[in-house]
mmCIF file with all atom_site columns, all heavy atoms in Angstrom:
data_model
loop_
_atom_site.group_PDB
_atom_site.id
_atom_site.type_symbol
_atom_site.label_atom_id
_atom_site.label_alt_id
_atom_site.label_comp_id
_atom_site.label_asym_id
_atom_site.label_entity_id
_atom_site.label_seq_id
_atom_site.pdbx_PDB_ins_code
_atom_site.Cartn_x
_atom_site.Cartn_y
_atom_site.Cartn_z
_atom_site.occupancy
_atom_site.B_iso_or_equiv
_atom_site.pdbx_formal_charge
_atom_site.auth_seq_id
_atom_site.auth_comp_id
_atom_site.auth_asym_id
_atom_site.auth_atom_id
_atom_site.pdbx_PDB_model_num
ATOM 1  N N   . PHE R 1 205 ? 28.886 34.015 -7.619  1.00 95.00 ? 205 PHE R N   1
ATOM 2  C CA  . PHE R 1 205 ? 28.038 33.063 -8.465  1.00 95.00 ? 205 PHE R CA  1
ATOM 3  C C   . PHE R 1 205 ? 27.661 31.920 -7.504  1.00 95.00 ? 205 PHE R C   1
ATOM 4  O O   . PHE R 1 205 ? 28.308 31.642 -6.551  1.00 95.00 ? 205 PHE R O   1
ATOM 5  C CB  . PHE R 1 205 ? 28.915 32.544 -9.528  1.00 95.00 ? 205 PHE R CB  1
ATOM 6  C CG  . PHE R 1 205 ? 29.367 33.485 -10.529 1.00 95.00 ? 205 PHE R CG  1
ATOM 7  C CD1 . PHE R 1 205 ? 30.769 33.747 -10.553 1.00 95.00 ? 205 PHE R CD1 1
ATOM 8  C CD2 . PHE R 1 205 ? 28.629 34.176 -11.382 1.00 95.00 ? 205 PHE R CD2 1
ATOM 9  C CE1 . PHE R 1 205 ? 31.313 34.570 -11.525 1.00 95.00 ? 205 PHE R CE1 1
ATOM 10 C CE2 . PHE R 1 205 ? 29.146 35.165 -12.250 1.00 95.00 ? 205 PHE R CE2 1
ATOM 11 C CZ  . PHE R 1 205 ? 30.459 35.323 -12.384 1.00 95.00 ? 205 PHE R CZ  1
ATOM 12 N N   . GLY R 1 206 ? 26.591 31.260 -7.971  1.00 96.00 ? 206 GLY R N   1
ATOM 13 C CA  . GLY R 1 206 ? 26.263 30.029 -7.278  1.00 96.00 ? 206 GLY R CA  1
ATOM 14 C C   . GLY R 1 206 ? 26.323 29.026 -8.446  1.00 96.00 ? 206 GLY R C   1
ATOM 15 O O   . GLY R 1 206 ? 25.946 29.202 -9.517  1.00 96.00 ? 206 GLY R O   1
ATOM 16 N N   . GLY R 1 207 ? 26.544 27.726 -8.056  1.00 97.00 ? 207 GLY R N   1
ATOM 17 C CA  . GLY R 1 207 ? 26.675 26.740 -9.091  1.00 97.00 ? 207 GLY R CA  1
ATOM 18 C C   . GLY R 1 207 ? 26.278 25.357 -8.435  1.00 97.00 ? 207 GLY R C   1
ATOM 19 O O   . GLY R 1 207 ? 26.006 25.137 -7.236  1.00 97.00 ? 207 GLY R O   1
ATOM 20 N N   . HIS R 1 208 ? 26.335 24.369 -9.301  1.00 97.00 ? 208 HIS R N   1
ATOM 21 C CA  . HIS R 1 208 ? 25.930 23.011 -9.047  1.00 97.00 ? 208 HIS R CA  1
ATOM 22 C C   . HIS R 1 208 ? 27.202 22.064 -9.454  1.00 97.00 ? 208 HIS R C   1
ATOM 23 O O   . HIS R 1 208 ? 27.901 22.467 -10.393 1.00 97.00 ? 208 HIS R O   1
ATOM 24 C CB  . HIS R 1 208 ? 24.778 22.536 -9.686  1.00 97.00 ? 208 HIS R CB  1
ATOM 25 C CG  . HIS R 1 208 ? 23.477 23.147 -9.186  1.00 97.00 ? 208 HIS R CG  1
ATOM 26 N ND1 . HIS R 1 208 ? 23.191 24.412 -9.543  1.00 97.00 ? 208 HIS R ND1 1
ATOM 27 C CD2 . HIS R 1 208 ? 22.399 22.671 -8.411  1.00 97.00 ? 208 HIS R CD2 1
ATOM 28 C CE1 . HIS R 1 208 ? 22.005 24.702 -9.010  1.00 97.00 ? 208 HIS R CE1 1
ATOM 29 N NE2 . HIS R 1 208 ? 21.535 23.671 -8.246  1.00 97.00 ? 208 HIS R NE2 1
ATOM 30 N N   . TRP R 1 209 ? 27.332 21.010 -8.687  1.00 97.00 ? 209 TRP R N   1
ATOM 31 C CA  . TRP R 1 209 ? 28.404 20.027 -8.985  1.00 97.00 ? 209 TRP R CA  1
ATOM 32 C C   . TRP R 1 209 ? 27.803 18.525 -8.958  1.00 97.00 ? 209 TRP R C   1
ATOM 33 O O   . TRP R 1 209 ? 26.793 18.299 -8.241  1.00 97.00 ? 209 TRP R O   1
ATOM 34 C CB  . TRP R 1 209 ? 29.546 20.205 -8.150  1.00 97.00 ? 209 TRP R CB  1
ATOM 35 C CG  . TRP R 1 209 ? 29.426 19.935 -6.698  1.00 97.00 ? 209 TRP R CG  1
ATOM 36 C CD1 . TRP R 1 209 ? 29.051 20.797 -5.662  1.00 97.00 ? 209 TRP R CD1 1
ATOM 37 C CD2 . TRP R 1 209 ? 29.483 18.628 -6.051  1.00 97.00 ? 209 TRP R CD2 1
ATOM 38 N NE1 . TRP R 1 209 ? 28.913 20.247 -4.515  1.00 97.00 ? 209 TRP R NE1 1
ATOM 39 C CE2 . TRP R 1 209 ? 29.160 18.816 -4.666  1.00 97.00 ? 209 TRP R CE2 1
ATOM 40 C CE3 . TRP R 1 209 ? 29.838 17.361 -6.472  1.00 97.00 ? 209 TRP R CE3 1
ATOM 41 C CZ2 . TRP R 1 209 ? 29.229 17.836 -3.817  1.00 97.00 ? 209 TRP R CZ2 1
ATOM 42 C CZ3 . TRP R 1 209 ? 29.844 16.284 -5.614  1.00 97.00 ? 209 TRP R CZ3 1
ATOM 43 C CH2 . TRP R 1 209 ? 29.523 16.463 -4.166  1.00 97.00 ? 209 TRP R CH2 1
ATOM 44 N N   . LEU R 1 210 ? 28.523 17.670 -9.744  1.00 97.00 ? 210 LEU R N   1
ATOM 45 C CA  . LEU R 1 210 ? 28.227 16.316 -9.652  1.00 97.00 ? 210 LEU R CA  1
ATOM 46 C C   . LEU R 1 210 ? 29.437 15.444 -9.831  1.00 97.00 ? 210 LEU R C   1
ATOM 47 O O   . LEU R 1 210 ? 30.274 15.745 -10.594 1.00 97.00 ? 210 LEU R O   1
ATOM 48 C CB  . LEU R 1 210 ? 27.186 15.988 -10.804 1.00 97.00 ? 210 LEU R CB  1
ATOM 49 C CG  . LEU R 1 210 ? 26.959 14.606 -11.255 1.00 97.00 ? 210 LEU R CG  1
ATOM 50 C CD1 . LEU R 1 210 ? 26.102 13.818 -10.184 1.00 97.00 ? 210 LEU R CD1 1
ATOM 51 C CD2 . LEU R 1 210 ? 26.221 14.440 -12.580 1.00 97.00 ? 210 LEU R CD2 1
ATOM 52 N N   . ALA R 1 211 ? 29.544 14.439 -9.033  1.00 96.00 ? 211 ALA R N   1
ATOM 53 C CA  . ALA R 1 211 ? 30.664 13.457 -9.163  1.00 96.00 ? 211 ALA R CA  1
ATOM 54 C C   . ALA R 1 211 ? 30.000 12.111 -9.556  1.00 96.00 ? 211 ALA R C   1
ATOM 55 O O   . ALA R 1 211 ? 29.180 11.535 -8.796  1.00 96.00 ? 211 ALA R O   1
ATOM 56 C CB  . ALA R 1 211 ? 31.383 13.338 -7.867  1.00 96.00 ? 211 ALA R CB  1
ATOM 57 N N   . HIS R 1 212 ? 30.370 11.625 -10.681 1.00 95.00 ? 212 HIS R N   1
ATOM 58 C CA  . HIS R 1 212 ? 29.763 10.415 -11.312 1.00 95.00 ? 212 HIS R CA  1
ATOM 59 C C   . HIS R 1 212 ? 30.617 9.936  -12.416 1.00 95.00 ? 212 HIS R C   1
ATOM 60 O O   . HIS R 1 212 ? 31.251 10.624 -13.115 1.00 95.00 ? 212 HIS R O   1
ATOM 61 C CB  . HIS R 1 212 ? 28.342 10.719 -11.775 1.00 95.00 ? 212 HIS R CB  1
ATOM 62 C CG  . HIS R 1 212 ? 27.561 9.590  -12.334 1.00 95.00 ? 212 HIS R CG  1
ATOM 63 N ND1 . HIS R 1 212 ? 27.517 8.405  -11.648 1.00 95.00 ? 212 HIS R ND1 1
ATOM 64 C CD2 . HIS R 1 212 ? 26.760 9.405  -13.369 1.00 95.00 ? 212 HIS R CD2 1
ATOM 65 C CE1 . HIS R 1 212 ? 26.680 7.517  -12.161 1.00 95.00 ? 212 HIS R CE1 1
ATOM 66 N NE2 . HIS R 1 212 ? 26.305 8.151  -13.252 1.00 95.00 ? 212 HIS R NE2 1
ATOM 67 N N   . ARG R 1 213 ? 30.589 8.644  -12.617 1.00 94.00 ? 213 ARG R N   1
ATOM 68 C CA  . ARG R 1 213 ? 31.350 7.945  -13.716 1.00 94.00 ? 213 ARG R CA  1
ATOM 69 C C   . ARG R 1 213 ? 32.858 8.332  -13.797 1.00 94.00 ? 213 ARG R C   1
ATOM 70 O O   . ARG R 1 213 ? 33.394 8.406  -14.826 1.00 94.00 ? 213 ARG R O   1
ATOM 71 C CB  . ARG R 1 213 ? 30.665 8.257  -15.030 1.00 94.00 ? 213 ARG R CB  1
ATOM 72 C CG  . ARG R 1 213 ? 29.276 7.723  -15.209 1.00 94.00 ? 213 ARG R CG  1
ATOM 73 C CD  . ARG R 1 213 ? 28.656 8.030  -16.434 1.00 94.00 ? 213 ARG R CD  1
ATOM 74 N NE  . ARG R 1 213 ? 29.319 7.279  -17.571 1.00 94.00 ? 213 ARG R NE  1
ATOM 75 C CZ  . ARG R 1 213 ? 28.749 7.235  -18.773 1.00 94.00 ? 213 ARG R CZ  1
ATOM 76 N NH1 . ARG R 1 213 ? 27.542 7.590  -19.024 1.00 94.00 ? 213 ARG R NH1 1
ATOM 77 N NH2 . ARG R 1 213 ? 29.543 6.589  -19.744 1.00 94.00 ? 213 ARG R NH2 1
ATOM 78 N N   . GLY R 1 214 ? 33.477 8.537  -12.515 1.00 96.00 ? 214 GLY R N   1
ATOM 79 C CA  . GLY R 1 214 ? 34.788 8.887  -12.458 1.00 96.00 ? 214 GLY R CA  1
ATOM 80 C C   . GLY R 1 214 ? 35.134 10.276 -12.872 1.00 96.00 ? 214 GLY R C   1
ATOM 81 O O   . GLY R 1 214 ? 36.332 10.625 -13.120 1.00 96.00 ? 214 GLY R O   1
ATOM 82 N N   . LEU R 1 215 ? 34.118 11.084 -12.901 1.00 97.00 ? 215 LEU R N   1
ATOM 83 C CA  . LEU R 1 215 ? 34.312 12.569 -13.289 1.00 97.00 ? 215 LEU R CA  1
ATOM 84 C C   . LEU R 1 215 ? 33.749 13.430 -12.173 1.00 97.00 ? 215 LEU R C   1
ATOM 85 O O   . LEU R 1 215 ? 32.909 13.110 -11.430 1.00 97.00 ? 215 LEU R O   1
ATOM 86 C CB  . LEU R 1 215 ? 33.625 12.795 -14.659 1.00 97.00 ? 215 LEU R CB  1
ATOM 87 C CG  . LEU R 1 215 ? 34.042 11.940 -15.881 1.00 97.00 ? 215 LEU R CG  1
ATOM 88 C CD1 . LEU R 1 215 ? 32.979 12.135 -16.929 1.00 97.00 ? 215 LEU R CD1 1
ATOM 89 C CD2 . LEU R 1 215 ? 35.339 12.402 -16.416 1.00 97.00 ? 215 LEU R CD2 1
ATOM 90 N N   . VAL R 1 216 ? 34.351 14.663 -12.258 1.00 97.00 ? 216 VAL R N   1
ATOM 91 C CA  . VAL R 1 216 ? 33.727 15.743 -11.389 1.00 97.00 ? 216 VAL R CA  1
ATOM 92 C C   . VAL R 1 216 ? 33.335 16.809 -12.411 1.00 97.00 ? 216 VAL R C   1
ATOM 93 O O   . VAL R 1 216 ? 34.096 17.311 -13.129 1.00 97.00 ? 216 VAL R O   1
ATOM 94 C CB  . VAL R 1 216 ? 34.691 16.316 -10.468 1.00 97.00 ? 216 VAL R CB  1
ATOM 95 C CG1 . VAL R 1 216 ? 34.041 17.597 -9.751  1.00 97.00 ? 216 VAL R CG1 1
ATOM 96 C CG2 . VAL R 1 216 ? 35.181 15.298 -9.293  1.00 97.00 ? 216 VAL R CG2 1
#
Side-chain angles (χ1 to χ4, degrees):
F205 302 110
H208 291 73
W209 65 267
L210 171 67
H212 187 42
R213 296 181 64 163
L215 299 164
V216 173

